[in-house]
Amino acid sequence: MSEQNPAKKPSINQRKRARSMCVQALYKQLIAGGSAYDVEAEFITDHDMSKIDREYFTSLFHGVNSHLTEIDDSFQMYLDRPKTDLTPIELGVLRQGAFELIHRLDVPYRVVINENVELAKSFGATDAHKYVNGILDKLAQKVRK
């Protein structure tokens, strides 16, 4: 049972934490492999999920996994190197951001870009956030006219 009140809208911080946990789960899946359901179950068991928007986490994580080809194709043209040369963090953040831009129209594109750039700053290499920002900005111009 979720610890969130169903009548209460999740807070901004709960959404931020959901995005952060999703990027970590995508990273784990890229490194260790496994099905989305196995990775999610293990992640929920191993982490305190009480202070996140768990529905949003699940929506993001399974949404990325369900639309992987579409998502990767959406930003492929903006990459300056092969997708296989991206770090797992860059790839996870780009996939999550692309999914939100394409499938979560209820979230303003600026929020999507900002939140995912912040995740790239937190988890990625020194300038990963600049790279992620450029790609998500170009994608947003294409899919959020």
Side-chain angles (χ1 to χ4, degrees):
M1 185 168 121
S2 176
E3 295 197 20
Q4 295 175 0
N5 181 347
K8 187 178 174 187
K9 183 178 176 184
S11 72
I12 292 171
N13 283 333
Q14 289 173 316
R15 279 272 173 105
K16 283 180 186 269
R17 289 183 192 113
R19 286 185 182 95
S20 177
M21 290 294 235
C22 182
V23 165
Q24 292 173 63
L26 291 169
Y27 174 85
K28 179 179 178 71
Q29 189 177 30
L30 283 166
I31 297 299
S35 75
Y37 292 101
D38 290 342
V39 172
E40 179 189 25
E42 188 176 322
F43 222 76
I44 290 170
T45 301
D46 293 345
H47 296 85
D48 178 10
M49 304 295 271
S50 65
K51 294 182 181 177
I52 75 161
D53 182 346
R54 185 141 163 219
E55 284 183 33
Y56 202 69
F57 165 80
T58 300
S59 168
L60 288 177
F61 186 66
H62 287 285
V64 168
N65 277 281
S66 296
H67 299 280
L68 203 53
T69 302
E70 172 198 12
I71 290 167
D72 286 356
D73 289 348
S74 73
F75 62 77
Q76 182 71 42
M77 70 184 82
Y78 305 120
L79 299 179
D80 63 355
R81 56 188 180 248
K83 184 178 72 174
T84 55
D85 289 350
L86 295 174
T87 68
I89 289 296
E90 289 169 337
L91 186 55
V93 171
L94 285 171
R95 284 176 169 170
Q96 176 174 277
F99 173 78
E100 284 188 283
L101 287 171
I102 296 166
H103 293 283
R104 293 302 305 239
L105 301 179
D106 57 314
V107 181
Y109 77 92
R110 288 184 178 156
V111 171
V112 172
I113 293 171
N114 184 57
E115 291 294 321
N116 284 286
V117 165
E118 289 302 315
L119 289 169
K121 283 181 184 178
S122 295
F123 297 118
T126 304
D127 287 335
H129 68 282
K130 294 175 186 176
Y131 190 67
V132 165
N133 184 52
I135 292 169
L136 291 180
D137 186 55
K138 289 173 188 169
L139 181 60
Q141 291 175 35
K142 177 183 170 193
V143 300
R144 294 274 188 108
K145 294 181 181 182

